[in-house]
Amino acid sequence: GDLREGSNLMDLNVKDISRRMLKNQWIETVRIDRIWPNSVSVHVTRRHPAALIQCDQFLYVDARGKIIAPSNDKQMYNIPVFTSFNCPRPDEGSLSKALGLVNMFEKKKYKISEVNFSKDFGYTLYMADEPFPIILGESEFETKFQRFEKIYHYLKENKLVCASLDLNYSKK
């Protein structure tokens, strides 16, 4: 049966209620417990947007790289935008890598506003407070991040500006 006030606890189909609730794109997990003699406890874990991906429309993406739902103008989050991913069906692996890069930079307080992915250049990041792209390619992100920090601090200390920062090659 459905979960309604006055329902008999024995008649509740907890699995069916959970399954129906999980159809909502914003719900990640549901746990329903019967509390005898006359109560029910419902625990819901909500999916939180970690990024927006730009396809035909903007789509919310969670921290695991799974698309949640289309965004709406009513509620925007201060999260990075992913561009040039394989829409309308972006690869979850590429989204997960992009989220990993965002986390790597934001752990050190570098705010990322955009992540672009292309077959030619791999991943390119844009920081919220800097005008230049950071070209990372498709691998060795830890090494490239360490290189980025050295170069970025050098630029800041010496009040230098650059047009782009290509970390894709070790000789540059």
Side-chain angles (χ1 to χ4, degrees):
D2 285 341
L3 185 57
R4 299 177 198 267
E5 188 174 349
S7 296
N8 183 334
L9 287 182
M10 294 300 289
D11 292 338
L12 287 180
N13 185 336
V14 173
K15 286 183 182 178
D16 182 58
I17 295 168
S18 295
R19 182 184 50 75
R20 285 187 284 146
M21 288 180 73
L22 287 169
K23 286 182 180 178
N24 182 312
Q25 299 157 312
W26 288 96
I27 295 178
E28 186 169 359
T29 64
V30 175
R31 191 180 85 225
I32 301 174
D33 298 315
R34 292 180 177 101
I35 302 171
W36 300 100
N38 60 358
S39 296
V40 174
S41 173
V42 179
H43 302 273
V44 175
T45 305
R46 181 178 181 267
R47 294 171 68 190
H48 297 279
L52 279 169
I53 184 167
Q54 183 181 11
C55 291
D56 291 341
Q57 60 184 326
F58 283 101
L59 304 170
Y60 289 120
V61 177
D62 72 10
R64 292 190 316 219
K66 296 191 182 291
I67 292 175
I68 300 173
S71 70
N72 59 38
D73 294 335
K74 294 176 186 167
Q75 184 167 10
M76 294 298 287
Y77 295 87
N78 187 15
I79 54 180
V81 175
F82 293 173
T83 57
S84 298
F85 283 76
N86 187 28
C87 291
R89 290 269 179 228
D91 175 54
E92 284 182 16
S94 297
L95 293 175
S96 293
K97 260 189 189 177
L99 288 162
L101 289 170
V102 169
N103 288 335
M104 182 186 304
F105 276 73
E106 291 192 349
K107 277 182 188 173
K108 296 285 189 155
K109 306 296 184 214
Y110 302 110
K111 180 71 177 151
I112 301 300
S113 64
E114 181 183 342
V115 179
N116 179 278
F117 178 76
S118 76
K119 296 204 183 290
D120 295 331
F121 297 104
Y123 294 90
T124 301
L125 277 61
Y126 297 84
M127 295 194 306
D129 55 353
E130 295 292 347
F132 58 85
I134 304 162
I135 302 166
L136 293 168
E138 294 192 57
S139 62
E140 302 177 33
F141 297 128
E142 292 284 341
T143 302
K144 291 173 184 176
F145 178 73
Q146 291 170 3
R147 196 175 318 135
F148 160 78
E149 284 203 296
K150 289 177 187 174
I151 294 168
Y152 185 71
H153 289 297
Y154 177 83
L155 292 170
K156 286 297 182 191
E157 287 172 6
N158 293 288
K159 297 183 172 120
L160 299 172
V161 180
C162 69
S164 68
L165 189 54
D166 189 346
L167 302 170
N168 204 20
Y169 303 101
S170 59
K171 303 288 184 204
K172 287 189 176 184

